[in-house]
Each structure stands twice: as C-alpha cells, then as structure tokens.
Amino acid sequence: MKKVSIKDIAQMAGVASSTVSFVLNGKARKMRISETVEKRVIEVARNAGYYPNQLAISLRTGKSKTLGLIVENIGNPFFATLAKTIEEEAEQYGYRVVYCSTENNASKGKELINMLSQRQVDGYLITPAPHMEDDIQQLVQLNRPVVLIDRYLPSVDVSHVLVNNTEAVSQGMAHLFDRGYKEIGFVTVDLDVIQMEERLDGYLGALSKQGIRLNKDIILKIPYTHQRDEAVELIAALLKDNPQLDALFFATNYLAILGLESINRLKMAIPQDIAVISFDDHDIFRIYPPGITSIQQPVEAIAKKAVALLMEQCESTESKLSTTEVELTAKLIVRGST
Amino acid sequence: MKKVSIKDIAQMAGVASSTVSFVLNGKARKMRISETVEKRVIEVARNAGYYPNQLAISLRTGKSKTLGLIVENIGNPFFATLAKTIEEEAEQYGYRVVYCSTENNASKGKELINMLSQRQVDGYLITPAPHMEDDIQQLVQLNRPVVLIDRYLPSVDVSHVLVNNTEAVSQGMAHLFDRGYKEIGFVTVDLDVIQMEERLDGYLGALSKQGIRLNKDIILKIPYTHQRDEAVELIAALLKDNPQLDALFFATNYLAILGLESINRLKMAIPQDIAVISFDDHDIFRIYPPGITSIQQPVEAIAKKAVALLMEQCESTESKLSTTEVELTAKLIVRGST
C-alpha cells in the first residue's frame, strides 16, 4: 500500500493541512469547520486509503477510537440489526466497533470484557447476560465508559437505553382485548433477565386490570437452550391442552417464529383459530400471511441514543462519569393476525 | 473480582497445577491430557472466573488468542449465522472472535484490517469486499494467517472456503426444468464479487445446456445499495413486463424476500402463477406458505473448515504459510414453491 499523507489529502481536497488534521482527529466541530468541508475531507481521505497510524495515536491520546459491543447472540436478527446500526452510528463519530456474543453466559461475558479491555477499547456497549453484575460493576468502578442496551441491572448504577417493556406489552394486550380476545396465552423464555420479567409483568398487569383470573397453565416458559423442535412441540402442546385459547402473546420474535411453525403443524388458521402477537418485529412478520401483529422496538433510536451516551462518557473530562437512564417507546404494528 | 490462581483451579479440579497450565495454554492435545480432564479443567476455570493475564501471555507468546472476522453485513442472517457459528467453533480452540462489517466497501475493509492488526489479532477470516485485493495481498506477504470465506479473489493466492456456487445453481435450474418450468427469470445483485458471478454463470450455463436462447430482459440486477421499496418495485416490474415468466431464481435470500413482497403486491399465487427458488436458505422460507425452495449453504461446515484452516496457519511453524482451497457442496431443499 502506498502511504498517503495528510498533505496529499489537503491538496486533493483543496484545503489546508491543518484542516485535514482537525477533521481526521475528530475536532471539526470544535474548530468550527463546516460540515461540507468535513465530509469532503473524510471522503477524500477514505478514497485515498489514508489510514492514520492508530497505534501512535493511541499511545499519544490514550484512545483507540474503538468501541466494544457485547450482544446476547449475533445470530438473532434483533441483535444483528442492532449491531449493524450501532456500527453505522459509531462511524459518524469516527469510532470503529468490534462485537461478540455472550449467548447469555456470564463467564463468557466476563471473558469478553477482559478481552476487550486488553485490546484497549475506549468504551463498552453491553446487553448483560444474567449474573454479569460484578463484571459491569467493576467497569463502573474503574470509571470506564459503559452503556447497557436492551436491559439493565437493577443493582448496578450505570447508564442504559431500552424500551418500556411493561408499557409496550400492556399496549399489545389492550389491543387484543379491544379486538375481543379474552383467553390469551403467554409464551416467554426461561431466563432471569429484567426485560423478560418486565414483559411478563405487562401481561400479568393487563389481565389483572381486566379482572381476569390468572391461569398459570397458559404461561409457557421455554428453556433458553431449547432445540428448535422441542420448542415447537411445547407450543403445540400448549395449544392442544388449552383449546379455549383464542390468542397467543409471544415475548420475543424467535419464539413467535417457532409458534408459527406449531400453528402450521396443527393446521390452525390465523387469526380465525388463534390470534398472534409478538414482541420485536421481524422480516417474516411483514410478509407471512396474513401479516403478524408485533411490537416494534425502535432499533435505530436505541442505537443512536446508546452511542451518543457512550460518546459523552468517552469524551468526558469529569472525574466521575454520570449515569443516564433512557426509556424509549415501542410501537404497536397491527397486521392481519389479530 | 477475586483473583483465582492456577493452583486454586488445580485444587478444585483435583489435578496437578502443570495439567491446568497445559490445558489453559491450549497444549492439552500435545501433552496427551485426556479430553475428560481437559473439559473439567476448562469448566472449573470458567466457573471460578479465572482469566489468565492475556496481555502478559501475548507479550510472552506473541499470540493474543483472538481472531478477527470481517463479514459483508452482520445485519444479513447468512453472515450473522456464520459469525455465530465461527465464534462457537473458535471457542473450541480457545480463541475468541471479534467481528465487524465492510458493507462491501473496500475502504472500510482496509480500515478494519488495520484496526484488527493494531489490536493484534492472530488471524483473519474475511469475506472480501470488491477491490480488497491489495489489502489481502499485503496480509499474505506479511505471512499473516488469513482464510477467505464465502468468496475468493482470483488474483490473490490465499486459502478460502466456499460453496460450489455454479454447480449449486445448475442443480436448482435442473430441478426447475424437471418440474416443467421453462421461462425462468434471474434476480441478482449488481456487485462485482466472484460468488455472484459464479451464480449467474450457473444460470447461463443451465439455459445453454437446455438450448434455450438467452433473453437479457429477464435478468434483473438490483443495485447493492437499493432501498427496500425500490427493489420490490423493480422485481414487480420484471414480472409485469414479462408475463411469460413461470419461475424466478433469486441469487440471494434477501432478494427472494423482497421478491415475495413483490409477488404479494401483484396478488400472484406461488407456485401456480410463479415458482420461486432462492440461493441461501432463511427461516422465512421454511414457514412461508407453501414453503420456498432454496439452496442451503452448509454454514456449519464452512465455519468449521475455515476455523480449522486458520488454526493450522496460526499454529504453523513453517516460514511460509500454505494455501488450501476448499469448495463445499450446497444442498437443494425442495419445498412447495417449485
């Protein structure tokens, strides 16, 4: 690779070398360089394959301009989309992102945090697995920039961005009641994380508000480490054992997809035999006939807010980082299944 | 976090400290330690939250036990599943994986390689974006472990693992001809990468073998940076302008999903009005009525083989790394759409 210098880029972009230097060091805003010029310089630098000696910069500034993102499972479309959006968003601030999955295993989460620390990332975006409290607490104590996403840890005082899970499920339940459904089963995952508890709370609260007596038989908790076929069987059994059910509320999109398979196998019609609503949208729900009603998380807003909060922490000169809790609103997308 | 020592682990696992040390340094096989003991030690170490001082190990061994995975777009289920499987597979060798997306942008790919190098990863798994030849060549010249996945670069001599794209499309076309379809449109992406060229070659070869004259009007190349609605419109227009079409072959799963939306909008029935087949399977295809026929890539086999090849390179003591080219066979999954 031929080396391209800041001077070369300045010439190509028709600006002063100092301007290029400010832009590439993320100081365009501070130095009141116009967005047009900033954009042009970045474009020219990128096309020319300019790459500053990051190691030298890291040594000088103590910053690596890299963020670490730890998700639950990159194989799940919600986390994959979240990762992609965070990657795009961080790029706007001149940061790169490396990511990895915990698969909800706290030991793996701990290892990943250690690995990222040793790779010297500047900040962490984490969807914490159960029992990661101590590891997150340690990052907070070390005053490392951290933002939790999708869930939070009640015992740890750290910034987080998530949706109002309880409220969103209540809204979905209200919609089902409005449409005349009364016998509503709830399918969730057997996992001790706050956002799943909040979703169940939303279900229980909605029943109680309607004066409906709780029937524990129609709440199905599927093991997180289920095999696909096992889960499909469990949901089918729920439907067979409870013929009075007229609707199913799935607490996550991957459970709803398994549920669609169960309903298919039983040759039940949606929504005539059983109505379906899912937390988290999915490509499938838009096109699967008759369309599956879902609660859509604002993935883009979550990504933007989480990155912005982390950037504030990364750039902060305060001796103690402050904590911000953001709760965004999910959106009910009504389709043919309810 | 309380520090746990190798001695503590040895006591908990009921083995000698040297055994623990060998296992945790990935020398169990070499030192003929049984798999049962190895597994127990790893389990105990993990539960105890033991984490070796990786930076110290890196300095001593020059190895970070971290692999860098660069995919096209983590938001695409094929790459997300691939990433997840590679992560699981690498873990078996005691390696962690960090990943990032190029979005088919060569400059971004170059930056990511640089970033990973400076974070000192031991090896690279890369789905190269167009025009990344020079960057990959440079890694090869530096004798860095590299394995390409999903595609290769004809001009660069480097190990790769992919499926036989041409052969797989031929097989899909033969299936369509067998079922009596004759007017088969091809929907692909406007992107200069070898695996897409090979898929198109498979289509063209199959037509020519059948003595069918090429009609360029029924080959649709959708821009990679399409907006969803634009693409749906383009596919709908292809169908409207060519009422003679009795089948559509989609060169990727995300194009097929857009195609299903187009077919929906036109209120055409699958397979009565139009048959559908897609390269790459997807959750949607299994459950979307009447089931969508697809060509399934052996994601697990690709991941296993790619990691195994990379591990050989990482552990190699040869002065020049050897090159291995692996072509795996994709599998035709026939469903109701053809």
Side-chain angles (χ1 to χ4, degrees):
Chain A
M1 276 184 284
K2 209 173 60 193
K3 283 250 179 183
V4 181
S5 71
I6 285 191
K7 213 172 139 188
D8 297 333
I9 293 163
Q11 204 157 35
M12 286 186 274
V15 299
S17 293
S18 56
T19 306
V20 175
S21 173
F22 290 138
V23 168
L24 297 182
N25 286 296
K27 302 212 185 299
R29 228 116 303 158
K30 201 171 163 192
M31 302 310 286
R32 294 167 190 267
I33 291 163
S34 79
E35 278 197 41
T36 325
V37 170
E38 184 190 8
K39 236 174 144 177
R40 188 163 78 236
V41 169
I42 290 173
E43 187 73 17
V44 168
R46 198 171 240 203
N47 289 336
Y50 174 80
Y51 189 82
N53 186 333
Q54 192 59 50
L55 208 55
I57 294 177
S58 298
L59 286 170
R60 198 179 69 231
T61 62
K63 306 248 174 186
S64 67
K65 289 273 180 185
T66 305
L67 306 177
L69 168 63
I70 299 180
V71 299
E72 175 184 307
N73 169 8
I74 202 69
N76 176 313
F78 172 71
F79 292 109
T81 310
L82 189 65
K84 176 163 187 280
T85 319
I86 284 175
E87 200 173 28
E88 285 167 3
E89 191 56 25
E91 208 184 340
Q92 306 298 317
Y93 291 87
Y95 279 72
R96 285 166 223 91
V97 181
V98 292
Y99 25 105
C100 26
S101 313
T102 63
E103 323 218 359
N104 273 322
N105 177 315
S107 314
K108 192 164 177 212
K110 179 199 282 284
E111 281 183 15
L112 293 174
I113 288 181
N114 276 311
M115 186 262 286
L116 292 175
S117 305
Q118 279 150 4
R119 302 266 88 75
Q120 292 163 312
V121 300
D122 291 337
Y124 304 80
L125 294 157
I126 303 177
T127 63
H131 316 302
M132 275 181 72
E133 282 83 355
D134 288 352
D135 303 298
I136 311 277
Q137 185 65 56
Q138 202 189 30
L139 288 177
V140 173
Q141 271 161 3
L142 293 170
N143 219 22
R144 305 298 304 262
V146 187
V147 173
L148 306 187
I149 28 179
D150 184 51
R151 53 194 83 167
Y152 68 98
L153 301 167
S155 64
V156 186
D157 182 29
V158 58
S159 293
H160 57 251
V161 179
L162 38 78
V163 292
N164 187 328
N165 288 286
T166 310
E167 173 56 32
V169 171
S170 304
Q171 200 192 343
M173 290 294 284
H175 163 71
L176 291 177
F177 290 131
D178 276 355
R179 292 282 159 108
Y181 300 107
K182 287 201 173 68
E183 298 281 351
I184 305 166
F186 193 77
V187 182
T188 183
V189 59
D190 175 18
L191 199 61
D192 185 23
V193 283
I194 192 86
Q195 82 278 22
M196 300 313 295
E197 280 172 31
E198 288 184 349
R199 291 179 199 175
L200 182 58
D201 283 349
Y203 169 76
L204 298 174
L207 290 182
S208 133
K209 212 172 131 191
Q210 286 282 321
I212 297 174
R213 201 165 149 251
L214 177 63
N215 172 5
K216 282 190 179 169
D217 291 348
I218 59 172
I219 298 178
L220 175 62
K221 291 193 179 185
I222 294 183
Y224 179 72
T225 52
H226 67 267
Q227 295 296 308
R228 168 175 283 283
D229 258 1
E230 273 168 34
V232 171
E233 278 308 316
L234 285 172
I235 301 167
L238 172 73
L239 285 167
K240 273 188 288 192
D241 296 347
N242 298 279
Q244 82 283 10
L245 288 177
D246 53 20
L248 278 187
F249 200 125
F250 292 94
T252 78
N253 56 6
Y254 66 85
L255 291 173
I257 290 170
L258 296 167
L260 293 179
E261 271 198 85
S262 313
I263 292 167
N264 254 341
R265 280 197 199 170
L266 297 175
K267 305 210 183 301
M268 292 172 80
I270 302 171
Q272 294 80 358
D273 300 328
I274 189 87
V276 171
I277 182 170
S278 173
F279 205 100
D280 281 340
D281 204 11
H282 194 288
D283 266 355
I284 297 188
F285 301 157
R286 205 181 50 253
I287 67 168
Y288 189 86
I292 306 298
T293 296
S294 74
I295 291 164
Q296 193 179 51
Q297 292 205 53
V299 177
E300 199 168 322
I302 294 173
K304 268 187 202 290
K305 192 69 209 177
V307 172
L309 284 181
L310 194 64
M311 288 298 109
E312 272 175 33
Q313 293 186 17
C314 286
E315 310 286 331
S316 165
T317 50
E318 303 290 311
S319 61
K320 176 83 184 70
L321 296 172
S322 65
T323 301
T324 314
E325 299 174 5
V326 179
E327 210 170 63
L328 299 166
T329 306
K331 190 176 160 190
L332 178 69
I333 313 274
V334 177
R335 300 196 179 102
S337 70
T338 53
Chain B
M1 271 184 286
K2 210 174 57 195
K3 284 248 179 183
V4 181
S5 70
I6 284 189
K7 212 171 140 188
D8 296 334
I9 294 164
Q11 203 156 34
M12 286 186 273
V15 299
S17 293
S18 57
T19 305
V20 175
S21 174
F22 289 138
V23 168
L24 297 181
N25 286 297
K27 301 213 186 301
R29 229 92 336 140
K30 200 172 161 189
M31 301 310 285
R32 293 167 192 267
I33 291 163
S34 79
E35 277 197 43
T36 324
V37 169
E38 184 189 9
K39 238 175 143 177
R40 188 163 78 236
V41 169
I42 290 174
E43 188 72 17
V44 168
R46 200 173 239 202
N47 289 337
Y50 174 79
Y51 188 82
N53 186 335
Q54 192 59 50
L55 207 56
I57 293 178
S58 298
L59 285 171
R60 199 178 69 231
T61 62
K63 306 247 173 187
S64 67
K65 290 273 181 184
T66 306
L67 305 178
L69 167 63
I70 300 180
V71 298
E72 175 183 309
N73 169 8
I74 203 71
N76 176 313
F78 171 71
F79 292 110
T81 311
L82 189 65
K84 176 163 187 282
T85 319
I86 284 175
E87 201 173 27
E88 286 167 5
E89 190 57 26
E91 207 184 341
Q92 306 299 318
Y93 292 86
Y95 278 73
R96 284 164 224 92
V97 181
V98 292
Y99 26 105
C100 27
S101 313
T102 63
E103 322 219 359
N104 273 322
N105 177 316
S107 314
K108 193 165 177 211
K110 179 199 282 285
E111 280 182 16
L112 292 174
I113 289 181
N114 276 310
M115 185 262 285
L116 292 174
S117 304
Q118 281 151 4
R119 302 265 89 77
Q120 293 164 309
V121 300
D122 291 337
Y124 304 80
L125 293 157
I126 304 177
T127 63
H131 317 302
M132 274 180 72
E133 282 82 356
D134 288 354
D135 303 299
I136 311 277
Q137 185 66 57
Q138 203 190 31
L139 288 176
V140 172
Q141 270 160 4
L142 294 170
N143 218 24
R144 304 300 304 264
V146 186
V147 173
L148 306 187
I149 28 179
D150 184 50
R151 52 194 83 168
Y152 67 99
L153 301 168
S155 65
V156 186
D157 182 30
V158 58
S159 293
H160 57 252
V161 179
L162 38 77
V163 292
N164 188 330
N165 289 284
T166 310
E167 173 57 33
V169 171
S170 303
Q171 200 192 344
M173 290 293 285
H175 163 71
L176 291 177
F177 289 131
D178 277 355
R179 292 282 159 108
Y181 300 108
K182 286 202 174 67
E183 299 279 351
I184 306 165
F186 193 77
V187 182
T188 183
V189 59
D190 176 17
L191 201 60
D192 185 22
V193 284
I194 193 86
Q195 81 278 24
M196 300 313 294
E197 281 172 32
E198 288 184 349
R199 291 178 199 176
L200 182 58
D201 284 350
Y203 169 76
L204 297 174
L207 291 183
S208 135
K209 210 171 133 192
Q210 288 281 321
I212 297 173
R213 201 163 148 254
L214 177 64
N215 172 7
K216 283 191 178 167
D217 290 349
I218 59 172
I219 299 178
L220 175 61
K221 292 192 179 187
I222 294 183
Y224 180 71
T225 52
H226 67 267
Q227 295 295 310
R228 169 175 281 280
D229 258 0
E230 274 169 33
V232 171
E233 278 307 316
L234 284 172
I235 301 167
L238 171 73
L239 286 166
K240 273 188 287 190
D241 296 347
N242 298 279
Q244 81 284 11
L245 289 177
D246 53 20
L248 278 188
F249 200 125
F250 292 93
T252 77
N253 55 7
Y254 65 86
L255 291 172
I257 291 169
L258 297 167
L260 293 178
E261 273 198 84
S262 313
I263 292 167
N264 253 343
R265 279 199 200 171
L266 297 174
K267 305 211 182 300
M268 292 171 80
I270 302 172
Q272 293 81 357
D273 300 328
I274 190 86
V276 170
I277 182 169
S278 173
F279 205 100
D280 281 339
D281 203 11
H282 194 288
D283 267 355
I284 296 189
F285 300 158
R286 204 181 51 250
I287 67 169
Y288 189 87
I292 306 298
T293 296
S294 75
I295 291 165
Q296 192 179 52
Q297 293 205 54
V299 178
E300 199 168 324
I302 294 174
K304 268 187 202 291
K305 192 70 208 176
V307 171
L309 284 181
L310 194 65
M311 288 297 110
E312 271 175 33
Q313 293 185 20
C314 286
E315 310 287 333
S316 167
T317 51
E318 302 291 311
S319 61
K320 175 81 183 73
L321 296 172
S322 65
T323 302
T324 313
E325 299 174 5
V326 178
E327 210 171 63
L328 298 167
T329 306
K331 188 175 160 192
L332 178 69
I333 312 273
V334 177
R335 299 195 179 102
S337 70
T338 53

